Amino acid sequence: MSATPRVIPGFSLTLGYTLFYLSLLVLIPLGALVFKTTQLTWAEFWGTVSDPVVVASYRLTFGASAIAALVNAVFGLMVAWVLVRYSFPGRRIFDALIDFPFALPTAVAGLTFSNLYLKTGWIGGLGDNIVGALNRLGSFVGRPDLLPADALSGLDFAYTNTNVGVVLVLIFVGLPFVVRTVQPVLQEWDTEYELAARSLGASPFTIFRRVIFPEIFPAWLSGSSLAFARAVGEYGSVIFIAGNIPGKSQIAPLQIVTKLDDFHYAQATAIGVVLLGASLMILLVVNGFEAWVRRRRIA
């Protein structure tokens, strides 16, 4: 009996290349990160990672990332559903725009969002901008100010003193992960199961909850966890839109950069190790839960 031909011959060669590639780009750098941290004593390590300012940055980073991931989990699923189930003018362009956060430099995204949502931006100062336009129009026709300067201040999107801007930009960078993981599953989904459930009298909500969602759940969960992990490590875009006030609006990656600027390399790696450990633990839990769900479905 002839052996089954392999598309890529040489298991030993490909496995060796895979291990070498992963070691060179993932394992060795991460090992170096942990090794650098060992230069600190336990007291120095604990003092660094438990500093109130650093703890506040953890809280903002993981809290904002979790909120952004939840928003993307809901609306990313809706976007994937619309792209797969409906045909409308411009659908291909809309589909291509989903990948925009992958290609756009994060610093550009941060600048764009900050200019849009700042107090002087189009949306951030919407009420003031409308009042200004009306008053300029009144001045042009020789009338005094039509409205007081703060007449429509309630329309301003005053995120400046909050961390809403951080969540917004993290939603932007994480959206493609949910859409691109759920979309292929929906495309391959056989709608005959839906028709069968409908013929048995199931409501649309029941069909989605008990027929469709269990099928897309592993991909949906995987995309949401990837969006969360991406948000935890985001720096370039957040730095432009966050207030960067120590203890209030500083993200953890900024704490790392601050330590590096002060030549405290071991302390910077200590913060990085905490972020790495937390992200790794969350991903392992999510992957374990996803595997458990798949085993239950097979059983």
Side-chain angles (χ1 to χ4, degrees):
M1 184 173 64
S2 61
T4 302
R6 297 187 176 94
V7 177
I8 302 177
F11 170 73
S12 300
L13 176 63
T14 53
L15 178 61
Y17 174 77
T18 301
L19 293 177
F20 173 76
Y21 188 79
L22 288 176
S23 299
L24 190 65
L25 295 180
V26 179
L27 297 180
I28 292 177
L30 294 183
L33 179 74
V34 177
F35 178 76
K36 187 68 177 179
T37 307
T38 60
Q39 294 181 355
L40 297 174
T41 64
W42 171 252
E44 291 172 335
F45 173 80
W46 183 250
T48 299
V49 300
S50 63
D51 183 271
V53 175
V54 177
V55 172
S57 70
Y58 294 149
R59 194 158 45 240
L60 174 59
T61 298
F62 287 103
S65 300
I67 294 173
L70 287 174
V71 173
N72 278 327
V74 175
F75 292 97
L77 175 60
M78 293 175 62
V79 171
W81 182 272
V82 169
L83 290 176
V84 173
R85 290 301 182 94
Y86 301 102
S87 296
F88 51 90
R91 185 171 68 90
R92 291 183 180 275
I93 297 176
F94 187 57
D95 190 29
L97 288 176
I98 297 298
D99 292 329
F100 210 52
F102 285 148
L104 187 70
T106 55
V108 177
L111 285 173
T112 303
F113 271 79
S114 59
N115 286 326
L116 192 62
Y117 291 105
L118 280 174
K119 182 68 176 175
T120 55
W122 293 352
I123 297 177
L126 179 62
D128 295 343
N129 291 333
I130 293 175
V131 171
L134 291 176
N135 288 340
R136 283 194 295 273
L137 180 62
S139 177
F140 180 75
V141 297
R143 299 287 299 275
D145 289 347
L146 299 176
L147 293 172
D150 59 348
L152 300 178
S153 59
L155 296 178
D156 293 344
F157 187 73
Y159 89 90
T160 307
N161 295 325
T162 67
N163 290 316
V164 175
V166 177
V167 176
L168 281 176
V169 78
L170 293 183
I171 292 173
F172 174 77
V173 299
L175 177 63
F177 291 96
V178 180
V179 177
R180 293 309 186 209
T181 52
V182 173
Q183 197 174 8
V185 181
L186 285 175
Q187 287 173 335
E188 296 177 1
W189 170 251
D190 191 349
T191 56
E192 289 185 357
Y193 296 105
E194 297 177 43
L195 298 176
R198 191 183 301 274
S199 66
L200 294 174
S203 66
F205 178 72
T206 301
I207 294 174
F208 179 80
R209 182 172 62 88
R210 304 195 62 175
V211 178
I212 300 176
F213 190 69
E215 184 69 22
I216 64 176
F217 178 75
W220 176 77
L221 184 62
S222 177
S224 302
S225 60
L226 287 175
F228 174 79
R230 175 70 176 83
V232 168
E234 179 60 22
Y235 173 77
S237 57
V238 178
I239 196 67
F240 287 99
I241 201 169
N244 299 321
I245 301 174
K248 293 183 178 179
S249 55
Q250 274 191 343
I251 57 173
L254 179 59
Q255 286 293 320
I256 295 175
V257 174
T258 302
K259 298 293 183 185
L260 292 175
D261 289 341
D262 294 336
F263 303 103
H264 297 152
Y265 300 122
Q267 293 181 354
T269 58
I271 299 173
V273 165
V274 173
L275 288 179
L276 176 67
S279 299
L280 183 62
M281 183 178 64
I282 292 171
L283 289 177
L284 288 177
V285 170
V286 170
N287 288 335
F289 183 66
E290 183 181 337
W292 178 75
V293 171
R294 284 177 173 161
R295 284 197 300 271
R296 279 179 58 88
R297 291 182 58 200
I298 294 174

